[in-house]
């Protein structure tokens, strides 16, 4: 179970927190709340009821705390803004307008800490909690330190950690010192620093460091997940007395982390209105930035072709469906009861099949995530036996190959077990990685890089396609100059690894998380750019590139690297044509005339040839007109929908050509006329299936301005040619009544 925690943020809301200091354009309060909102949004995103938080403000205009109601002195201008409890987006929305600078300078910081202390004691009682108070202030208001020692003693008794974060507080370790600091603020800093030092779990720092560390992604702590709990065997214990059986547990050592997935919602335009067709329930409604959203449920229907049914389709129930496997051009069906025949029967187990030397293993055959195998908890016999196996594998420099079945009737896997004898760390275990089966290995034949084989079998070691000695030397020098293995530096300034694994953060995953947190707290503000730490390893270090400049230039010179000008694409009559080295006209030599017509039997290749050889707009218009006539004729003469796919493919090539040649008007004119002919029945009957399934369904609509800049059709107008769901439904109704 995850650790329970109770955190109270004690925030200075005095009048001075509304001022800007340190050359910042943000007020001290807004700047400090970056840290608070980030921590709160992380708590909300976790969604754990055991992660609780509360907020106390001091130097407020009003007073709202239990101590003042009991008649105790010194607790004026202190307000409980959020009681301790699980945080939700609604509570964050209610809290935001309360975080505003007041017109008061009263309210004691240490008294506010006492209020927070009492809240935690009352909420957590004697239960096991991680208790923490985070005090945020600029220390401009007076502070009474008369009872600071007593407060520190109570914090220690309740095992509460105190964190003091001050705006522009001096911090020698961080390297910050505020110039021209007032004597009153300097004295208040000393008081709060002393209070933190008097606590066994107290720490004091500057807010600048806390905000700077917000960009560092926080790695989610994952609970150990037990994937297997059973026996690791060598031999069959049921039939062999000499067989080995060890009770082990398997956990994931590495597992791919995924970014949060988005769900589909719909904006509720009316509240408290009449019935809605939206399929949602009340507990799915959420509110963001004053706009209420509702969750969307998806409904799937299954249809089969039925000429007797309205529209040629008939709905079928899911229970009547069967699964089928492709078998050539047909499908082999299996009922639900027969699916068990296909499954390979298997029993849960982890069986060692044999051993292989270290030298026979290649890292590229890893097929998945790494697991860790340890002895069963509180089982001394298993610990001793597994330790002996681990050390034996290590001494023999061998890996074990095992057959792994996670549970009964699961797919069997082959694992490679690597021993970890605990020499570098005091942890003895086995690491396992999945191995490929024969079908998983892709064997490709590539030409060798160090020689050229001629058609006669001759081996050439010097060739224009092979690197010269000078190029090999230049490339070797360049690789050495760009070495990252020790380009970094440790805390003492000594060479160290440049990109250790614990600093390589997934930019996609953490960018999504940062964007979600920012939008959740500030829905109307633009998203900030990605943090620098996420882009740190996106490019080579500038210093390293600068140091390797001479090697790079030498490599460019030896390799004769030259810039290649970009080819103009999509312009009529400007495409590069492939010409023979002799410069001769091949068509003239072969006695072939240039193509002027397109045959329906070979429409696409002949259309492309005619377009490629076109010398003017008239030829292009003629080619597109002929292709359009072929499409219309295919639709007209099609028996049912047999030729619809062929007509749609011709139409697709025609559309792509019009986009490339910047002739969208020709295609749009043809498509508009084709739609009219289809819907009016001019093409020998009801051909609406061609329009709905093969033209609209394949996105072969009008060419809009977002696809071709020279198009006269706007995107919204292009959508009109594609019938909506309502219009398609109307077409189906028309077909029904036509019977």
């Amino acid at each position: 179970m995850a650790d329970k925690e109770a955190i109270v943020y004690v925030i200075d809301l005095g009048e001075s927190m509304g001022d800007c200091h340190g050359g910042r354009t943000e007020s001290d309060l807004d700047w400090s709340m970056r840290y608070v909102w980030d921590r709160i949004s992380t708590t909300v995103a976790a969604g754990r009821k055991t992660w609780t938080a509360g907020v106390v403000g001091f130097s407020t205009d009003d007073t709202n705390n239990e101590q003042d109601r009991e008649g105790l002195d010194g607790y004026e201008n202190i307000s409980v803004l959020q009681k301790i409890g699980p945080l939700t987006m609604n509570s964050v929305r209610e809290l935001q307008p309360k975080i505003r600078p007041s017109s008061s300078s009263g309210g004691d910081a240490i008294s506010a800490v006492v209020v927070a202390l009492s809240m935690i004691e009352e909420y957590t009682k004697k239960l096991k909690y991680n208790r923490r108070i985070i005090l945020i202030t600029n220390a401009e208001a007076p502070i009474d330190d008369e009872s600071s020692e007593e407060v520190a003693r109570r914090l220690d008794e309740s095992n509460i950690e105190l964190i003091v974060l001050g705006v522009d507080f001096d911090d020698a370790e961080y390297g910050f010192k505020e110039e021209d600091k007032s004597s009153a603020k300097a004295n208040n800093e000393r008081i709060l620093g002393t209070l933190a030092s008097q606590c066994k779990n107290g720490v004091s720092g500057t807010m600048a460091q806390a905000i700077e560390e917000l960009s560092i992604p926080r790695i989610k702590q994952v609970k150990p997940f037990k994937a297997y709990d059973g026996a690791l065997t060598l031999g069959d214990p049921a039939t062999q007395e000499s067989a080995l059986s060890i009770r082990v547990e398997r956990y994931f050592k590495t597992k791919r982390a995924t970014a949060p997935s988005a769900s589909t919602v719909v904006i509720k335009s009316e509240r408290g209105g009449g019935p809605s067709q939206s399929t949602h329930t009340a507990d799915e409604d959420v509110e963001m930035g004053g706009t209420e959203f509702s969750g969307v449920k998806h409904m799937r229907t299954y249809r089969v072709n039925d000429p007797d049914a309205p529209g040629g389709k008939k709905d079928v129930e899911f229970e009547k469906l069967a699964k089928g496997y492709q078998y050539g051009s047909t499908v082999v069906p299996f009922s639900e009861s027969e699916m068990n025949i296909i499954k390979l029967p298997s029993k849960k187990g982890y069986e060692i099949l044999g051993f292989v030397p270290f030298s026979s293993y290649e890292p590229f055959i890893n097929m998945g995530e790494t697991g860790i195998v340890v002895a069963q908890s509180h089982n001394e016999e298993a610990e001793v036996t597994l330790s002996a196996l681990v050390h034996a594998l290590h001494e023999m420099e061998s890996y074990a190959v095992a057959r792994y079945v996670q549970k009964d009737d699961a797919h069997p896997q082959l694992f490679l077990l690597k021993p970890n004898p605990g020499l570098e760390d005091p942890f003895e275990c086995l690491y396992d990685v999945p191995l490929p089966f024969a079908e998983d290995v892709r064997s490709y034949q590539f030409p060798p890089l160090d020689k050229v084989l001629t058609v006669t079998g001759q081996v050439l070691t010097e060739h224009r396609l092979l690197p010269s000695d000078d190029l090999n030397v230049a490339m070797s020098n360049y690789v050495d100059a760009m070495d990252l293995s020790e380009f970094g530096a440790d805390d003492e300034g000594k060479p160290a690894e440049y990109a250790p694994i614990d600093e390589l953060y997934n930019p996609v995953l953490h960018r999504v998380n940062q964007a979600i947190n920012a939008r959740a707290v500030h829905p109307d503000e633009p998203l900030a750019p990605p943090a620098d730490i996420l882009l740190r390893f996106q490019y080579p270090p500038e210093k390293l590139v600068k140091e390797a400049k001479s090697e790079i230039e030498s490599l460019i010179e030896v390799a004769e690297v030259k810039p290649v000008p970009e080819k103009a694409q999509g312009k009529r009559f400007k495409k590069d044509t492939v010409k023979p080295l002799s410069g001769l006209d091949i068509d003239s030599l072969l006695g072939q005339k240039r193509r002027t017509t397109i045959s329906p039997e070979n429409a696409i290749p002949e259309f492309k040839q005619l377009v490629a050889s076109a010398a003017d707009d008239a030829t292009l218009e003629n080619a597109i007109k002929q292709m359009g006539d072929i499409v219309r004729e295919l639709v007209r003469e099609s028996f049912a929908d047999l030729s619809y796919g062929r007509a749609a493919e011709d139409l697709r090539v025609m559309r792509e050509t019009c986009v490339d040649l910047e002739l969208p008007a020709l295609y749009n004119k043809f498509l508009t006329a084709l739609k009219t002919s289809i819907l009016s029945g001019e093409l020998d009957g009801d051909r609406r299936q061609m329009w709905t399934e093969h033209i609209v369904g394949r996105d072969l609509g009008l060419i809009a301005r977002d696809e071709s800049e020279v198009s006269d059709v706007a995107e919204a107008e292009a959508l009109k040619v594609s019938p909506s769901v309502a219009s398609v439904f109307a077409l189906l109704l028309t077909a029904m009544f036509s019977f």
Side-chain angles (χ1 to χ4, degrees):
M1 183 177 180
D3 292 335
K4 295 184 287 187
E5 65 177 28
I7 302 176
V8 176
Y9 299 93
V10 181
I11 304 173
D12 187 351
L13 298 179
E15 185 177 7
S16 62
M17 288 290 286
D19 300 332
C20 301
H21 298 94
R24 296 182 294 271
T25 57
E26 287 179 291
S27 67
D28 292 351
L29 180 59
D30 291 340
W31 187 59
S32 302
M33 287 306 295
R34 287 194 201 177
Y35 172 81
V36 177
W37 291 131
D38 182 84
R39 296 294 301 268
I40 288 179
S41 62
T42 302
T43 302
V44 174
R48 297 182 179 177
K49 294 183 178 181
T50 56
W51 286 12
T52 59
V55 179
V56 173
F58 66 95
S59 295
T60 58
D61 293 326
D62 301 326
T63 301
N64 178 22
N65 62 81
E66 194 64 32
Q67 285 74 10
D68 181 76
R69 284 190 286 270
E70 293 176 358
L72 300 178
D73 295 332
Y75 294 93
E76 297 80 10
N77 301 106
I78 299 175
S79 300
V80 177
L81 306 180
Q82 173 71 45
K83 294 184 178 180
I84 298 181
L87 292 179
T88 62
M89 284 307 305
N90 289 334
S91 58
V92 172
R93 293 281 174 265
E94 295 173 358
L95 178 62
Q96 281 181 315
K98 301 177 183 178
I99 307 298
R100 297 287 185 273
S102 68
S103 58
S104 171
S105 59
D108 183 61
I110 296 181
S111 298
V113 171
V114 174
V115 173
L117 188 155
S118 301
M119 292 170 59
I120 293 177
E121 289 180 338
E122 181 181 355
Y123 185 83
T124 62
K125 297 180 172 57
K126 298 296 182 179
L127 301 177
K128 185 178 180 180
Y129 269 86
N130 293 328
R131 303 169 176 85
R132 187 177 300 119
I133 295 176
I134 301 178
L135 172 62
I136 296 171
T137 179
N138 62 0
E140 295 286 355
I143 297 178
D144 183 7
D145 64 338
E146 182 177 350
S147 59
S148 61
E149 294 184 1
E150 175 64 20
V151 173
R153 184 186 62 80
R154 285 188 59 187
L155 290 171
D156 291 343
E157 289 178 354
S158 300
N159 196 24
I160 298 176
E161 179 184 3
L162 176 64
I163 299 176
V164 179
L165 295 176
V167 178
D168 297 330
F169 275 24
D170 296 341
D171 192 329
E173 294 183 2
Y174 179 66
F176 179 83
K177 181 176 177 61
E178 184 183 16
E179 302 295 337
D180 302 326
K181 182 176 297 186
S182 65
S183 58
K185 181 174 181 178
N187 183 57
N188 290 337
E189 276 190 41
R190 180 189 58 79
I191 293 174
L192 295 178
T194 302
L195 174 62
S197 62
Q198 289 174 340
C199 302
K200 63 181 181 181
N201 294 323
V203 62
S204 177
T206 183
M207 180 60 71
Q209 182 179 5
I211 292 179
E212 182 181 305
E213 293 177 353
L214 291 181
S215 61
I216 301 177
R218 287 186 287 271
I219 305 299
K220 180 181 178 181
Q221 298 297 325
V222 181
K223 297 189 298 180
F225 174 75
K226 188 186 300 184
Y228 177 81
D229 186 355
L232 174 65
T233 61
L234 177 59
D236 187 1
T239 59
Q240 300 173 346
E241 296 182 359
S242 59
L244 178 67
S245 178
I246 310 172
R247 301 298 298 183
V248 297
E249 298 173 352
R250 180 178 182 268
Y251 300 88
F252 284 109
K253 180 65 176 178
T254 61
K255 191 168 183 64
R256 183 174 178 269
T258 57
S261 59
S263 57
T264 305
V265 295
V266 62
I267 299 177
K268 294 184 66 177
S269 58
E270 298 181 1
R271 297 189 184 184
S276 172
Q277 295 180 355
S278 171
T279 56
H280 65 272
T281 57
D283 59 350
E284 291 176 317
D285 294 345
V286 295
E287 189 172 339
M288 176 71 71
T291 304
E292 190 173 355
F293 298 90
S294 293
V296 176
K297 288 185 177 180
H298 299 274
M299 182 175 65
R300 179 177 297 177
T301 59
Y302 300 89
R303 294 182 176 180
V304 295
N305 294 328
D306 187 352
D308 298 331
K313 301 287 185 180
K314 182 180 70 173
D315 292 345
V316 295
E317 298 179 359
F318 176 77
E319 291 75 13
K320 296 182 179 180
L321 301 180
K323 293 186 177 181
Y325 291 87
Q326 195 75 24
Y327 189 74
S329 60
T330 61
V331 174
V332 178
F334 286 88
S335 64
E336 190 66 28
S337 60
E338 294 174 327
M339 289 300 294
N340 295 327
I341 303 175
I342 303 176
K343 293 182 179 179
L344 180 69
S346 58
K347 292 289 185 180
K348 174 183 175 181
Y350 208 161
E351 307 166 7
I352 296 178
L353 305 179
F355 306 94
V356 295
F358 286 173
S359 59
S360 65
Y361 168 72
E362 297 291 347
F364 64 81
I365 64 176
N366 284 4
M367 285 290 291
E369 295 149 342
T370 305
I372 181 172
V373 179
V374 297
Q376 190 180 53
S377 303
H378 312 296
N379 190 332
E380 294 183 2
E381 181 181 355
E383 293 176 1
V384 173
T385 310
L386 183 64
S387 176
L389 175 62
V390 169
H391 283 275
L393 289 173
H394 178 72
E395 293 174 4
M396 297 300 295
E397 297 184 351
S398 298
Y399 298 124
V401 178
R403 180 179 185 269
Y404 173 73
V405 180
Q406 183 174 356
K407 59 182 180 180
D408 291 345
D409 295 328
H411 296 299
Q413 294 177 275
L414 285 180
F415 278 1
L416 187 79
L417 302 178
K418 175 185 179 298
N420 182 45
L423 300 179
E424 298 180 359
D425 56 72
F427 189 63
E428 295 182 347
C429 64
L430 291 170
Y431 292 119
D432 63 32
V433 292
L435 293 176
F437 292 100
E439 297 79 8
D440 302 323
V441 178
R442 307 286 179 89
S443 298
Y444 301 108
Q445 295 292 330
F446 296 103
L449 299 177
D450 58 345
K451 57 187 175 182
V452 173
L453 301 177
T454 66
V455 292
T456 60
Q458 184 180 0
V459 178
L460 302 179
T461 56
E462 293 184 3
H463 192 271
R464 63 183 181 85
L465 299 179
L466 297 177
S468 63
D469 293 339
D470 293 339
L471 182 56
N472 285 329
V473 172
M475 180 61 74
S476 178
N477 294 337
Y478 170 66
V479 172
D480 293 339
M482 293 293 292
D483 184 14
L484 288 172
S485 57
E486 293 186 354
F487 186 73
D490 57 15
D491 296 337
E492 299 178 357
K494 297 180 180 179
E497 185 180 1
Y498 172 69
I501 190 66
D502 56 350
E503 296 181 10
L504 282 172
Y505 302 106
N506 186 331
V508 175
L509 188 150
H510 292 291
R511 174 57 177 167
V512 172
N513 287 331
Q514 290 176 355
I516 293 173
N517 291 344
R519 181 53 54 86
V521 178
H522 305 290
D524 301 324
E525 295 183 7
L527 296 177
D532 292 339
I533 194 170
L534 298 181
L535 308 177
R536 176 182 174 188
F537 303 113
Q538 187 173 3
Y539 303 102
E542 294 183 4
K543 181 180 178 182
L544 183 64
V545 174
K546 186 176 180 180
E547 293 177 355
K549 184 177 180 180
S550 60
E551 286 79 5
I552 296 174
E553 293 176 348
S554 176
L555 179 61
I556 292 175
E557 180 181 356
V558 175
E560 299 180 355
V561 178
K562 299 178 182 179
V564 178
E566 295 184 3
K567 294 182 180 180
Q569 297 292 335
K571 302 298 181 181
R572 295 196 293 277
F573 320 125
K574 293 184 179 180
K575 289 189 175 182
D576 295 336
T577 57
V578 180
K579 296 182 179 179
L581 297 177
S582 62
L584 300 176
D585 189 343
I586 303 299
D587 291 337
S588 299
L589 293 175
L590 296 177
Q592 295 180 354
K593 297 181 179 180
R594 293 189 179 275
R595 183 174 299 281
T596 58
T597 60
I598 304 173
S599 63
E601 294 78 12
N602 195 27
I604 292 178
E606 294 181 4
F607 173 74
K608 291 182 177 180
Q609 292 175 9
L610 183 56
V611 169
S613 62
D616 50 37
D617 286 341
T619 306
L620 291 176
E621 293 179 6
N622 178 44
I624 294 173
K625 180 180 182 303
Q626 291 187 56
M627 197 65 163
D629 293 341
I630 292 174
V631 171
R632 293 176 63 91
E633 199 62 24
L634 285 173
V635 175
R636 183 193 306 275
E637 297 181 356
S638 175
F639 180 73
D641 60 351
L642 292 181
S643 299
Y644 288 173
R646 183 178 166 191
E649 184 63 18
D650 291 348
L651 189 63
R652 180 189 65 80
V653 175
M654 176 180 170
R655 188 180 191 275
E656 292 177 353
T657 302
C658 289
V659 172
D660 292 340
L661 299 180
E662 297 181 350
L663 294 171
L666 296 179
Y667 179 83
N668 293 341
K669 180 180 179 180
F670 166 75
L671 189 67
T672 304
L674 179 64
K675 177 186 177 183
T676 303
S677 299
I678 290 177
L679 298 184
S680 63
E682 294 179 7
L683 300 181
D684 194 17
D686 185 3
R687 303 295 184 180
R688 285 172 291 189
Q689 184 181 356
M690 172 66 190
W691 179 262
T692 56
E693 294 186 9
H694 296 273
I695 297 180
V696 177
R698 298 190 183 188
D699 295 329
L700 299 178
L702 296 178
I703 301 175
R705 198 171 294 118
D706 60 338
E707 292 184 88
S708 178
E709 296 180 356
V710 298
S711 175
D712 297 331
V713 179
E715 185 176 1
E717 186 178 350
L719 294 176
K720 294 180 181 179
V721 87
S722 302
S724 62
V725 175
S727 60
V728 173
F729 184 66
L731 291 175
L732 294 177
L733 288 178
T734 304
M736 290 173 59
F737 286 112
S738 66
F739 286 102

